[in-house]
Amino acid sequence: MDNMDMEYPIIEDLLHQYSSFHLLLSDGIVIDEDKINDGARIQRILTVHQLVRILVDQDEDPYIILIRHDVVNGWNNEDIENLYDVMRIKSYYRNCDIYFVVLGGTNIFNFMMLGGFYGKEHTEYETEPL
């Protein structure tokens, strides 16, 4: 389990950036509810298909998605490509902020997505375009 309060303090800034947002968490992530704004709508992510449905069906409030690397690494490549397309379309055409943070180590997203990744040492890794 990742205790967000102790192991990833950088996430706290992200959780206070918006007054109203969706907070989507994978299994194994624990956050002290006192650290989260009252406007957060919290939901547990069980599968990549559920995550895609949430992004497609819900509103344009910002999304902060926190997923453990071992969960993401268990998803197949087609589902990940579909998720990436949905996030890209929703953020571009609907002007919706989406933060997808993979926690806990290296992951397959390093090879697919651009942006910041946080590893075991809380280091931000910048990926280069392929």
Side-chain angles (χ1 to χ4, degrees):
M1 268 201 215
D2 284 322
N3 183 329
M4 300 302 294
D5 301 324
M6 299 177 149
E7 296 184 35
Y8 298 95
I10 196 166
I11 301 299
E12 188 173 344
D13 293 336
L14 188 57
L15 295 176
H16 292 287
Q17 187 171 346
Y18 299 99
S19 59
S20 176
F21 62 94
H22 299 275
L23 177 59
L24 308 177
L25 306 169
S26 72
D27 285 339
I29 295 178
V30 178
I31 298 179
D32 182 1
E33 65 183 56
D34 294 337
K35 303 279 184 179
I36 303 171
N37 292 343
D38 292 337
R41 286 161 286 177
I42 303 169
Q43 190 168 356
R44 184 69 60 189
I45 301 167
L46 301 176
T47 67
V48 65
H49 302 289
Q50 177 193 24
L51 178 55
V52 168
R53 288 281 14 125
I54 290 168
L55 291 171
V56 168
D57 292 341
Q58 292 189 9
D59 58 36
E60 280 73 39
D61 278 352
Y63 290 83
I64 299 171
I65 305 166
L66 305 177
I67 298 187
R68 289 177 44 94
H69 79 285
D70 54 337
V71 172
V72 174
N73 284 337
W75 296 345
N76 71 47
N77 287 340
E78 285 182 12
D79 291 336
I80 291 171
E81 290 173 10
N82 186 34
L83 172 62
Y84 177 69
D85 288 341
V86 167
M87 289 191 302
R88 189 171 40 124
I89 290 167
K90 184 155 188 158
S91 63
Y92 182 77
Y93 289 107
R94 294 191 180 172
N95 200 26
C96 177
D97 290 341
I98 300 174
Y99 297 90
F100 191 96
V101 182
V102 178
L103 302 164
T106 58
N107 57 74
I108 55 178
F109 274 87
N110 284 332
F111 304 106
M112 293 188 64
M113 299 178 69
L114 304 177
F117 296 94
Y118 298 92
K120 293 178 183 175
E121 295 80 26
H122 317 292
T123 305
E124 184 171 347
Y125 299 99
E126 296 295 332
T127 59
E128 295 295 325
L130 297 177

